[in-house]
Amino acid sequence: MKVRTDILKIAKELHTWVGISAGVLLFICFFAGGLTMFQHDLSRWATPPQQRLAQIAPTQFNQLVQQTQAAFPESIRNFQINVDSKEYHHAPMMWQSKQQLVAQDQFDTAQNSMLATLSTDGRLHVQQENRSNVGWLIEQLHETGGIPGMFGHHTIGVYVMGIVALLYFMAIMTGLILLLPTLVKDYFAVRKGKNKKRFWLDTHNVVGISSLPFHIIISVTVVVFAFHDVFYDAMAKLAYADRPMFERRAELKLDHPTAQLDIEQILLRLQQQAPDYQVSSIRFTQADQPEKAMAFAALYSPNHMLRGDRFDYLVFNPYQTTPYDVSSLNAFNAPLDKLLNSMFSLHFGNFGGDFTRWIYLVLGMGGAFLFYSGNLLWLESRVKRQKNPQIAVPEQAKSVRFVACLTVGACLGCVLAIFTTMLFGRWAFVLIPQLSSINHLLVYSYYVIFLSCLIYSFCIGAARALPHLLFAIAIVLLLIPFTSLCAYLFPVNGLWYSNGSLWWIDVFALIFAGLFLRFYQQARVRAQHAAKGSLWSA
């Protein structure tokens, strides 16, 4: 396909500068986003045994709720039961005390909760815990690109990533225009050799074109997620004028307003009315006022598009005896609602079970590689090479050295910081027995390590920092399965090893440790043999 030269030139300029300006933030979002496909598994993997209370049978929930509310009156109004939840795996019942309640526009780093269960003899067991939640940290990095701070009830990073997503979509379209003339000939051509730019360009093109639909979906949905309040406000002014866009749910008139809350009956009715779904958790609000009470049931099905990252939500009054309104579930949606749900589901990758999650993990990591390789392409196009050994060694431009240090420090710093916080999550309760907030430690450790890598790269240069950071990542990844091995062979109070279905995390850490050791060897050899004055010469 032929494209006019002037159009190709404009597309190349836009693609280059848009990619460079947004590449680092997109790398962080995509790398963390790939990991969020299993964020709840990572949180369970990093949760110490003392924070996991025993599960109970569905027929015991009434007994648990009644005993808990009798002993802790603050749990009567708002609480949550967890039936089969990957996200809220800590205990069958959770609530927040009055001192722990967090305002809607505040960032809940502490993640404090009261947890309750029943012992084997039916006695109530309650403990207060600062829940370990590595997956939550990774999810925040995915949403914000690691940019801290709040603006209203959203983090600043969400708005920034909305703008970045617009640039990202522009980069996708201009990149497609650039590839159209040679798409058929060069699609699967990956040419290795001395010309590093050719190799990076070929791999960049293969990954980009192969995952094009995925990247279009992600970029469009991020814009919607970031600015949905703005869209709703505009729709409200244009279409609804002075009328409220969303009507408040009317209070339900109950036949028996003093009826006892029956958890078992609720679970039975959910199973009957939504047989394709399994109940993960139910959150109750204003449960002390039957006519105003609300229940938010999180339901999961691998066979349907889901509105949340892993759930569809059904809202009802827990005291009502009439059938629940299941029209909000994808299985019962109208065609337009199904289309809207599919946009959420295609972004989250929550359909098709774990098979789809593994595909999205690969696509997320491929996206991270796409932005990393894009920056390297820009560098390879602008480095000055010594073609004549008789003349002075060329000095690289400040802009080139800056982008090289930024790319190496930020991208590899993000990878190292995430894996190190995962490791800290396993050792924190051994090294700091009186630790009051594990999530504060994880958040601060991420930013300290990330900023340290960034500063280190600028201080010693990208060429010397690259192999060092790759080697550090490999060592941290090796220490993750080594920790489980130590806990298994030499039991230490506060240290535990992976078991059950979570063993794969340690196995993959070992595999990727080998990959990063290989990357380290290649980077070290290149640094030692690069020509003097080269950007990658140590």
Side-chain angles (χ1 to χ4, degrees):
M1 179 177 178
K2 291 185 178 181
V3 180
R4 282 167 37 192
T5 305
D6 58 330
I7 294 177
L8 285 176
K9 184 178 180 181
I10 294 172
K12 184 176 181 180
E13 290 293 325
L14 282 173
H15 185 79
T16 298
W17 292 109
V18 167
I20 287 295
S21 61
V24 170
L25 285 174
L26 287 169
F27 176 93
I28 295 172
C29 287
F30 269 81
F31 183 81
L35 296 178
T36 59
M37 291 296 102
F38 296 95
Q39 62 166 308
H40 304 315
D41 296 285
L42 292 172
S43 289
R44 289 172 58 206
W45 174 85
T47 298
Q50 64 267 27
Q51 289 191 1
R52 295 196 293 264
L53 275 60
Q55 297 300 312
I56 60 174
T59 55
Q60 294 180 289
F61 275 108
N62 281 341
Q63 180 185 355
L64 172 62
V65 171
Q66 290 167 11
Q67 290 191 31
T68 302
Q69 293 182 344
F72 299 88
E74 70 270 19
S75 67
I76 296 176
R77 180 174 175 82
N78 301 316
F79 66 94
Q80 177 171 306
I81 65 165
N82 303 312
V83 183
D84 182 21
S85 177
K86 275 196 169 187
E87 181 176 5
Y88 300 108
H89 56 272
H90 298 78
M93 183 175 176
M94 298 168 50
W95 74 96
Q96 286 187 312
S97 64
K98 291 181 180 180
Q99 293 78 12
Q100 297 168 333
L101 291 176
V102 177
Q104 187 178 9
D105 60 346
Q106 291 181 349
F107 198 66
D108 184 16
T109 304
Q111 306 268 329
N112 287 314
S113 292
M114 299 292 292
L115 311 177
T117 189
L118 295 175
S119 59
T120 53
D121 57 358
R123 288 187 298 177
L124 180 66
H125 174 57
V126 177
Q127 64 189 50
Q128 180 178 343
E129 289 291 345
N130 171 245
R131 292 179 286 120
S132 177
N133 208 342
V134 167
W136 168 83
L137 170 61
I138 296 173
E139 170 63 22
Q140 295 305 312
L141 295 173
H142 167 60
E143 291 182 3
T144 66
I147 300 172
M150 298 291 296
F151 183 77
H153 61 277
H154 283 303
T155 53
I156 295 173
V158 168
Y159 292 112
V160 173
M161 291 313 303
I163 297 171
V164 168
L166 290 171
L167 300 177
Y168 167 34
F169 182 79
M170 189 185 300
I172 294 171
M173 294 297 102
T174 53
L176 182 60
I177 292 171
L178 288 172
L179 272 178
L180 285 177
T182 59
L183 180 60
V184 176
K185 182 179 67 175
D186 291 343
Y187 181 19
F188 286 110
V190 179
R191 288 154 284 198
K192 297 180 68 175
K194 292 184 178 181
N195 189 344
K196 294 294 181 182
K197 180 185 175 183
R198 183 76 262 175
F199 170 75
W200 284 113
L201 179 61
D202 289 342
T203 52
H204 182 86
N205 292 342
V206 168
V207 172
I209 292 297
S210 300
S211 54
L212 181 63
F214 169 77
H215 286 284
I216 292 174
I217 290 168
I218 296 299
S219 61
V220 172
T221 52
V222 168
V223 174
V224 175
F225 295 160
F227 302 116
H228 65 274
D229 285 346
V230 177
F231 297 150
Y232 282 143
D233 289 344
M235 289 170 61
K237 290 181 179 179
L238 291 173
Y240 290 83
D242 297 329
R243 293 179 293 118
M245 186 174 179
F246 299 105
E247 299 288 346
R248 291 177 62 89
R249 183 181 290 264
E251 289 187 12
L252 187 69
K253 298 300 180 182
L254 302 173
D255 297 331
H256 304 285
T258 58
Q260 185 78 25
L261 186 64
D262 193 336
I263 307 296
E264 296 172 27
Q265 185 64 27
I266 292 172
L267 293 175
L268 178 62
R269 295 179 67 185
L270 287 173
Q271 184 179 11
Q272 292 173 343
Q273 290 193 243
D276 289 344
Y277 293 84
Q278 62 189 50
V279 181
S280 294
S281 62
I282 307 177
R283 178 167 54 91
F284 298 89
T285 62
Q286 302 187 79
D288 56 338
Q289 304 178 62
E291 294 191 348
K292 295 182 179 180
M294 299 290 290
F296 301 82
L299 308 177
Y300 173 72
S301 171
N303 303 318
H304 293 284
M305 296 289 192
L306 307 175
R307 187 68 175 266
D309 68 335
R310 191 178 168 83
F311 315 108
D312 251 354
Y313 286 94
L314 183 63
V315 183
F316 56 92
N317 186 308
Y319 293 95
Q320 72 183 73
T321 55
T322 55
Y324 301 145
D325 180 8
V326 296
S327 61
S328 61
L329 299 178
N330 188 74
F332 308 97
N333 274 166
L336 185 60
D337 290 327
K338 285 183 181 292
L339 177 63
L340 182 62
N341 279 355
S342 68
M343 295 304 293
F344 284 88
S345 193
L346 286 169
H347 181 93
F348 294 132
N350 56 25
F351 57 94
D354 285 342
F355 176 74
T356 304
R357 293 183 181 276
W358 281 108
I359 293 176
Y360 267 59
L361 173 63
V362 173
L363 290 171
M365 296 302 166
F369 169 80
L370 196 66
F371 305 116
Y372 184 76
S373 61
N375 279 25
L376 292 181
L377 274 172
W378 186 88
L379 293 170
E380 291 292 340
S381 299
R382 284 157 180 80
V383 293
K384 298 175 182 177
R385 293 175 173 82
Q386 188 177 26
K387 297 180 180 180
N388 186 349
Q390 304 300 323
I391 63 176
V393 175
E395 183 178 354
Q396 305 299 336
K398 289 183 179 180
S399 59
V400 172
R401 285 187 278 121
F402 176 85
V403 172
C405 293
L406 178 65
T407 301
V408 170
C411 295
L412 297 186
C414 168
V415 177
L416 179 60
I418 288 177
F419 290 146
T420 306
T421 53
M422 288 174 58
L423 184 63
F424 283 175
R426 298 298 287 268
W427 282 94
F429 294 93
V430 177
L431 302 177
I432 316 174
Q434 303 302 319
L435 183 64
S436 60
S437 178
I438 177 64
N439 290 302
H440 277 92
L441 173 67
L442 298 179
V443 170
Y444 293 146
S445 65
Y446 170 84
Y447 283 105
V448 168
I449 295 167
F450 175 79
L451 292 175
S452 297
C453 292
L454 199 55
I455 294 170
Y456 184 70
S457 179
F458 276 96
C459 288
I460 71 169
R464 295 175 64 187
L466 179 61
H468 296 172
L469 295 179
L470 289 171
F471 184 71
I473 293 169
I475 294 300
V476 169
L477 285 168
L478 281 173
L479 288 175
I480 289 175
F482 178 75
T483 298
S484 290
L485 182 62
C486 288
Y488 181 78
L489 297 177
F490 311 103
V492 177
N493 186 31
L495 192 64
W496 71 99
Y497 56 88
S498 304
N499 52 27
S501 61
L502 301 177
W503 59 268
W504 64 268
I505 297 176
D506 290 313
V507 172
F508 272 87
L510 191 62
I511 293 172
F512 278 95
L515 285 175
F516 275 96
L517 279 175
R518 176 59 179 162
F519 297 155
Y520 157 71
Q521 291 175 341
Q522 292 177 330
R524 189 181 64 172
V525 169
R526 186 179 184 188
Q528 290 174 346
H529 294 86
K532 285 186 178 181
S534 168
L535 184 65
W536 304 110
S537 173

